[in-house]
Amino acid sequence: MRKFAPGRTWRGAVFLASLLALGGCGMFSHDDGRYDPAPLTEYKAGMSVRQVWSTSIGSGSGLGFAPTVLGDAVYAATPDGSVGKFDLQSGRAIWKAKTDGKLSAGAGSDGTTTAVASPDGDVIAFDDTGKVKWKVRATSDVNVPPAVGYGIVVVRSGDYRIQAFDANNGERVWNVQRPGPSLALRSVSQMVLAEGLVITGLPGGKLMAIASNSGNVQWEGTVATPRGASDLERLTDVVGVPRIAGNLLCAVAYQGRIVCFDVTAGGRPIWAKDFSSVSGMSLDERFAYSADQNSVVNAFALDNGGNVWKQAALKNRQLTAPAMLGGALAVGDLEGYVHFLSRSDGSLMARLSVGGGAVVSPLQTTPQGVLVQTGNGNLVMIGTN
């Protein structure tokens, strides 16, 4: 399930059984089965996959949790307050720590400082032995994983502020705020640090690039424009991770568009398609991939946005954003399955259960395979045979 948060914080969020139900008045109609997850079907195997290793981080999962892969290490956290660093090749715990309370987001890391956040807005930083370095309070609750790099820890809080703290001592370095809508989508979202910039999506459909050293806004682009008469109809948000490929910066929004901007031309959009996703997108050298809000996976030509293929066999299975494994695209679903689709034509190639209930955290492409943070707080590495 995804959450929707009224007002300018995530508090008071309500659960809806399916984002698909937001279309028209369907969310109030009787259940006629149209939003039921597609049953698993037979397919001709196109590849062989296996579990390489599995290890426990802690307990639980949530929309604000995504592992960070740096070199030969993985940094990850779970809602019960568990934080750890793990070996990418074996899953062995290098260090593990436990916060005093629950967590709402994590784990961001630059290999020296690892940061997580609590439901009350506490931002907690660990050194690379697992000892707490500092703890500060953001202006509101934090449900987006912190981004760490360039000597700062950056968080996006529920009051639509992007705040940077000194990675060494936790002192506030800068703060940027934009007005936000009365209703916001709580879904998987992450910030990116690149070329000295903090790149983040915002509720309302905006994408923003902020200078990491000063907090000055360098560029703003529109991924989606709110439309409709009611707050629910106008609900839009940039979801997932903004993706960079060469000169392109691409993003996708709920009830909005999938769009690629040319960063060498002042951030001018080179193509945009009406589209709605709740999980985000991925890129390779040819295509942009995203599951729409109904979990129909789409591939778009990276140069012009043309729709190359669609795969509806996993409809309504609440898919994650895709990750790459060889010639395949991997997506997690609501029952703990990871599905592998051909990047060329979208055909089903393989399937593996990682258990633990719904996979909510985005899958990660690594040199060892696809890394999955499961619904019950495990890390699982999937590779090919």
Side-chain angles (χ1 to χ4, degrees), residues 150 192-199 209-213 216 218-219:
Y150 304 125
V192 173
L193 302 182
E195 303 296 327
L197 298 171
V198 179
I199 302 171
I210 306 167
S212 62
N213 59 351
N216 293 328
Q218 304 297 298
W219 172 82

Side-chain angles (χ1 to χ4, degrees), residues 54 78 88 159 170 185 188 200-201 209 217 266 297 307 330 336 348 381:
S54 177
T78 49
L88 184 64
D159 57 0
L185 178 73
V188 175
T200 181
V217 177
V297 185
N307 193 266
L348 296 175
M381 181 66 73

Side-chain angles (χ1 to χ4, degrees), residues 2-129:
R2 301 295 187 259
K3 292 182 181 180
F4 297 82
R8 295 196 174 184
T9 72
W10 299 123
R11 292 185 178 89
V14 296
F15 285 92
L16 296 184
S18 171
L19 283 173
L20 179 61
L22 286 172
C25 298
M27 63 180 292
F28 302 111
S29 64
H30 67 281
D31 180 13
D32 58 5
R34 75 181 72 178
Y35 308 130
D36 291 347
L40 299 180
T41 59
E42 296 295 326
Y43 57 90
K44 182 179 179 180
M47 66 186 299
S48 179
V49 295
R50 65 185 177 91
Q51 179 178 298
V52 179
W53 54 257
S54 177
T55 190
S56 174
I57 312 163
S59 177
S61 67
L63 297 173
F65 295 88
T68 295
V69 177
L70 292 172
D72 293 329
V74 181
Y75 299 84
T78 49
D80 70 337
S82 299
V83 187
K85 176 182 180 181
F86 305 86
D87 180 76
L88 184 64
Q89 295 191 27
S90 66
R92 175 183 60 87
I94 299 171
W95 58 257
K96 295 182 78 171
K98 194 75 177 286
T99 60
D100 293 335
K102 301 291 185 180
L103 294 177
S104 56
S109 184
D110 64 356
T112 301
T113 301
T114 298
V116 295
S118 78
D120 293 331
D122 288 329
V123 182
I124 307 156
F126 297 84
D127 66 19
D128 209 36
T129 67

Side-chain angles (χ1 to χ4, degrees), residues 204-254:
K206 294 293 185 180
L207 188 65
M208 182 186 299
I210 306 167
S212 62
N213 59 351
S214 66
N216 293 328
V217 177
Q218 304 297 298
W219 172 82
E220 288 186 63
T222 299
V223 180
T225 301
R227 292 176 292 185
S230 69
D231 286 340
L232 194 61
E233 290 172 330
R234 294 175 60 80
L235 178 64
T236 187
D237 195 355
V238 177
V239 298
V241 186
R243 299 293 186 179
I244 300 171
N247 296 331
L248 298 181
L249 172 61
C250 303
V252 65
Y254 172 68

Side-chain angles (χ1 to χ4, degrees), residues 345-370:
D345 60 15
S347 59
L348 296 175
M349 300 177 70
R351 179 190 302 141
L352 183 70
S353 174
V354 295
V359 179
V360 177
S361 299
L363 309 188
Q364 307 284 330
T365 299
T366 81
Q368 306 300 319
V370 169

Side-chain angles (χ1 to χ4, degrees), residues 332-352:
D333 79 3
L334 79 170
E335 293 182 323
Y337 287 97
V338 178
H339 306 268
F340 296 84
L341 287 64
S342 167
R343 287 157 68 177
S344 297
D345 60 15
S347 59
L348 296 175
M349 300 177 70
R351 179 190 302 141
L352 183 70

